[in-house]
Amino acid sequence: DEFISSPPRKTVRFGGTLTEILLKYEKGDTTDFELLKHQLSDPDIKDAQIINWLHEFRAAVAYLTKELEQLVNILLKLPWLRRSREVVEEYLGFLGNLVSAQTVHLRPCLRMIVSLFVPPRITIREDDVDISDSDDDDENISENFDTCHRALQTVARYVPSTPQFLMPILVEFFPFINKSERTLECYVHNLLRVTVYLPTLRLQILELIIEKLLKLDVSTPQQDIEDAEETANNHASEEKSTEEGLFAMEEDEDKKGNKVVSPSIERMAHPLAERLDILMTILFSYIKDVCHVDGKLDISNTKDLYRDLVSVFDKLILPTHGSCHVQYFMFYICSFKLGLAEAFLDHLWKKLQDPNNPSVIRQTAGSYIGSFLARAKFIPIVTVKACLDLLVNWLHKYIDNQDTGANAYCDVALHGPFYSTCQAVFYTLIFRHKQLLDGNLRKGLSYLQSLNFERIVMCQLNPLKICIPSVVNLFAAITRKYQLVFCYTIIERNNRQFIPVVRSGTGGDLVQTCTNPLDSFFPFDPYILKRSKKTIDPMYQFWEELSAEDLENLKKPIKKGTSEDEDDDFLKGETPQNDGVVEIAPNSYESNTRSPVSIGSPADCYVPYPL
């Protein structure tokens, strides 16, 4: 009965051998050819049939010319990936034979393989309407991706020019940023795997990935991310209080005792930030894996990857204003070895001092130097001093050249790189002054006095007027405390002279009191993506709490002359009015309920006017 009721195996062949069918087709007899196409397109085709057909096609690839492109496309649509091992091996052999004999089909083969770099969609239909909304969580997905890479390596082995044809296809198939996190994650992961066996494509693939990450980054301003987190936290708190009020039962108490961590704690509330977080985690993992062999740093691999990443940094990151997270790939790789951090600083220094570079690039390079020196824990104080010496000497030479000239007046359009360098020096001093003075106060003070900040502050170019007030205020407080320079007369004069600047924007003319065209840009401000920040936090210098003595020195406020939306992350934390102590938990996002942006940032500073 079982034999009678079971359907017959589809092994029936029509029209003779494959060679005979193709020869008939060349002579104009298409009947068997159409039947062949129909059999290959059958959704219920069996493994045995696929193997038989592929075996014949491998022997007849010489016939599969451009004229039979339609037939080849049907073969490329065969459901081979989720079949038996025998089908997979036969198909890989067919691909190799096809591209080596008929390179005209190289592009379609590559497109087919790359299309498999993302998980397939689950097809769900209701009343003939496709309501598919999720990726297939196939437990064999990792194995399937391995097979895809084997296929790509097979093609590349037979056709050495594969990389130049592959790259445009990788660009074309990159998923839109509104696709699911899983789709983006799989595609980026597979792109990075390609760089392992096609190293000539690594630079282009890194450029492609980082370009997409940048678009995600600038589409999700830090304030939007923080607002979404705050809203989600408030919503979660309300739900929790409601649940506790309604369902205070014994079984609930038992569940609470288990302290199961909800996966939502790891998720970002903002959907684009969630995608960016996942992709940044993958990028950091890739950098670590490439640079380390058997757990040890491989100097040669690391240098090669560093060169590629610096190239991407120059091309994409430096000209982009408003990114908050993507630039941290340079921060991360530089943490592996001091030589890399010094090479990066030297690279930025050359950008800054080269007059042939556009002014905005030079200013951004200055911002990167200041932010990197201030925030990177792995940079020793001896390197900080060496960089300060370079920067300050350049400032003094700049003043020498300008002080007597026709342009010796305060104008950010004329002297942008100078002001950016001043701000980098001031910012570095704010974060590093305790280390500079640590151990031997007399020696440290002697070093700081040798930098001659007084001449920089008092010069005709008036950097205190251009640098953002948050930096100026703390710099003034610190330099007064150690009697290095007295800034307050100049600050008061600048405040009296402060004139609003009219700026044209997309919404019309805006009156702002900001004169810094870089909008207080510090590229290594606190990193707030939950998963990937675990990689950055251990090597990141957070802003430390102000001591009681420092707070005593920072009492009388000064007009800031800056719009609220222009304030830098650096100084958005609020000093509580009742106790005068700045409570900051550097490594905990959730603990700061007042203002998430203040994590790792100094409190709003106040200038201590002399009595």
Side-chain angles (χ1 to χ4, degrees):
D1 290 344
E2 185 181 342
F3 173 77
I4 294 171
S5 62
S6 62
R9 292 183 64 191
K10 292 190 178 183
T11 54
V12 182
R13 288 285 303 274
F14 299 101
T17 65
L18 176 64
T19 307
E20 290 171 355
I21 294 172
L22 296 179
L23 288 172
K24 280 184 183 179
Y25 177 73
E26 284 181 6
K27 293 174 182 176
D29 185 353
T30 62
T31 308
D32 289 346
F33 184 76
E34 292 299 324
L35 198 57
L36 167 65
K37 284 170 28 181
H38 179 74
Q39 288 184 55
L40 290 172
S41 303
D42 185 353
D44 297 323
I45 191 169
K46 303 296 183 186
D47 285 9
Q49 286 178 290
I50 293 178
I51 291 170
N52 288 339
W53 279 121
L54 289 175
H55 191 69
E56 286 196 55
F57 272 108
R58 287 181 70 177
V61 287
Y63 294 96
L64 299 178
T65 56
K66 175 74 172 171
E67 286 69 30
L68 292 177
E69 185 177 14
Q70 190 181 16
L71 178 61
V72 171
N73 286 337
I74 292 173
L75 288 167
L76 293 178
K77 289 176 183 175
L78 277 174
W80 63 279
L81 191 59
R82 288 163 183 79
R83 296 280 179 160
S84 66
R85 184 172 182 81
E86 292 76 14
V87 172
V88 169
E89 295 303 325
E90 193 68 36
Y91 198 85
L92 292 178
F94 163 70
L95 279 180
N97 288 13
L98 178 65
V99 295
S100 58
Q102 304 286 352
T103 52
V104 69
H105 300 304
L106 176 62
R107 275 198 187 92
C109 288
L110 294 176
R111 290 172 67 87
M112 179 273 295
I113 296 169
V114 172
S115 71
L116 299 171
F117 276 3
V118 295
R121 305 289 281 174
I122 298 172
T123 305
I124 305 169
R125 300 187 73 83
E126 278 188 10
D127 301 326
D128 292 330
V129 177
D130 188 352
I131 58 168
S132 306
D133 192 38
S134 60
D135 299 317
D136 186 2
D137 262 342
D138 185 353
E139 59 185 19
N140 298 319
I141 193 165
S142 181
E143 186 182 327
N144 292 338
F145 288 150
D146 289 344
T147 306
C148 290
H149 288 288
R150 277 188 62 205
L152 196 50
Q153 286 172 275
T154 300
V155 171
R157 189 164 61 247
Y158 285 107
V159 186
S161 60
T162 293
Q164 70 186 71
F165 291 96
L166 176 62
M167 197 60 221
I169 293 168
L170 295 178
V171 174
E172 178 190 346
F173 276 81
F174 203 105
F176 293 113
I177 59 173
N178 60 349
K179 290 290 184 183
S180 73
E181 295 112 9
R182 183 67 173 151
T183 296
L184 285 162
E185 179 184 10
C186 290
Y187 194 78
V188 169
H189 187 270
N190 283 318
L191 283 190
L192 291 171
R193 280 188 67 178
V194 171
T195 67
V196 177
Y197 55 84
L198 294 179
T200 55
L201 286 183
R202 183 167 75 180
L203 178 58
Q204 290 171 269
I205 287 175
L206 286 172
E207 272 186 21
L208 171 62
I209 291 171
I210 289 169
E211 182 187 7
K212 300 295 183 181
L213 291 180
L214 261 181
K215 286 180 181 175
L216 267 175
D217 203 1
V218 297
S219 301
T220 50
Q222 207 154 352
Q223 191 60 53
D224 290 1
I225 297 174
E226 287 154 359
D227 290 346
E229 288 297 321
E230 190 175 351
T231 303
N233 288 340
N234 292 341
H235 187 63
S237 299
E238 288 172 10
E239 281 190 348
K240 186 178 178 185
S241 61
T242 305
E243 284 176 15
E244 286 177 355
L246 293 175
F247 306 107
M249 300 180 181
E250 286 185 11
E251 57 259 35
D252 292 326
E253 295 302 321
D254 292 339
K255 287 177 186 175
K256 286 177 191 173
N258 295 332
K259 287 190 177 178
V260 178
V261 178
S262 169
S264 64
I265 293 174
E266 284 287 301
R267 286 184 66 84
M268 300 296 297
H270 195 295
L272 294 184
E274 171 68 8
R275 288 164 174 75
L276 183 60
D277 194 10
I278 291 169
L279 299 184
M280 287 300 295
T281 304
I282 293 172
L283 183 58
F284 288 153
S285 299
Y286 171 78
I287 292 171
K288 183 180 179 181
D289 290 347
V290 169
C291 295
H292 293 80
V293 177
D294 298 327
K296 293 182 180 178
L297 187 69
D298 185 292
I299 301 299
S300 177
N301 288 356
T302 305
K303 283 183 178 177
D304 289 343
L305 181 60
Y306 169 83
R307 290 189 194 101
D308 283 348
L309 290 177
V310 164
S311 175
V312 178
F313 176 84
D314 285 349
K315 183 174 179 180
L316 298 176
I317 304 292
L318 262 185
T320 303
H321 178 57
S323 64
C324 301
H325 302 97
V326 179
Q327 57 264 28
Y328 270 89
F329 68 79
M330 285 307 306
F331 193 95
Y332 183 52
I333 194 170
C334 287
S335 71
F336 294 161
K337 193 169 179 63
L338 178 58
L340 296 176
E342 291 177 340
F344 184 50
L345 285 165
D346 183 59
H347 179 75
L348 292 168
W349 165 240
K350 286 172 180 170
K351 293 272 183 194
L352 171 62
Q353 64 172 345
D354 185 357
N356 294 319
N357 283 327
S359 178
V360 69
I361 294 295
R362 297 174 68 190
Q363 291 178 66
T364 308
S367 297
Y368 269 93
I369 291 173
S371 200
F372 193 55
L373 288 173
R375 296 293 195 173
K377 271 186 183 178
F378 48 83
I379 297 180
I381 201 64
V382 63
T383 303
V384 174
K385 288 173 76 172
C387 290
L388 283 176
D389 287 339
L390 275 176
L391 296 170
V392 170
N393 285 337
W394 184 82
L395 290 174
H396 284 302
K397 285 179 183 175
Y398 194 95
I399 293 168
D400 289 340
N401 294 333
Q402 296 292 335
D403 248 5
T404 55
N407 293 330
Y409 56 90
C410 183
D411 188 342
V412 72
L414 284 174
H415 309 295
F418 171 81
Y419 296 121
S420 180
T421 306
C422 286
Q423 189 156 281
V425 170
F426 299 164
Y427 191 71
T428 303
L429 183 74
I430 290 165
F431 273 84
R432 296 285 196 159
H433 71 277
K434 289 181 181 176
Q435 290 171 277
L436 288 165
L437 297 168
D438 196 29
N440 189 328
L441 184 60
R442 186 185 296 273
K443 191 175 177 182
L445 282 174
S446 176
Y447 169 72
L448 290 178
Q449 286 164 356
S450 73
L451 298 177
N452 196 359
F453 286 126
E454 187 171 8
R455 181 169 185 252
I456 295 170
V457 167
M458 301 289 183
C459 76
Q460 294 293 314
L461 302 180
N462 194 359
L464 296 186
K465 186 174 184 178
I466 299 298
C467 295
I468 66 167
S470 54
V471 173
V472 169
N473 293 342
L474 274 177
F475 174 76
I478 291 164
T479 51
R480 173 177 177 260
K481 178 178 178 180
Y482 295 107
Q483 298 182 7
L484 297 171
V485 61
F486 191 75
C487 301
Y488 299 113
T489 308
I490 298 171
I491 291 172
E492 282 189 321
R493 185 179 70 221
N494 288 341
N495 284 339
R496 286 195 296 270
Q497 294 174 351
F498 219 97
I499 301 170
V501 176
V502 177
R503 259 195 208 163
S504 292
T506 51
D509 289 346
L510 295 173
V511 178
Q512 295 185 336
T513 52
C514 169
T515 56
N516 187 343
L518 286 180
D519 292 335
S520 325
F521 180 53
F522 292 107
F524 295 120
D525 268 347
Y527 191 99
I528 61 171
L529 302 177
K530 293 181 185 177
R531 293 181 190 83
S532 45
K533 81 191 293 285
K534 293 174 185 174
T535 303
I536 298 301
D537 280 0
M539 61 196 69
Y540 187 79
Q541 180 62 59
F542 289 90
W543 177 253
E544 296 174 0
E545 293 180 13
L546 295 175
S547 66
E549 183 185 358
D550 290 334
L551 286 168
E552 188 64 30
N553 282 339
L554 303 175
K555 285 183 177 175
K556 196 171 180 180
I558 178 175
K559 289 181 187 176
K560 293 196 171 182
T562 181
S563 57
E564 184 181 345
D565 63 311
E566 183 261 10
D567 268 349
D568 189 79
D569 184 345
F570 169 60
L571 283 176
K572 276 191 183 171
E574 296 175 0
T575 305
Q577 298 299 315
N578 56 347
D579 55 7
V581 176
V582 182
E583 294 290 346
I584 290 175
N587 294 317
S588 169
Y589 191 100
E590 291 82 6
S591 65
N592 194 307
T593 54
R594 288 192 307 277
S595 171
V597 76
S598 67
I599 298 300
S601 303
D604 262 338
C605 72
Y606 297 92
V607 174
Y609 284 97
L611 296 172

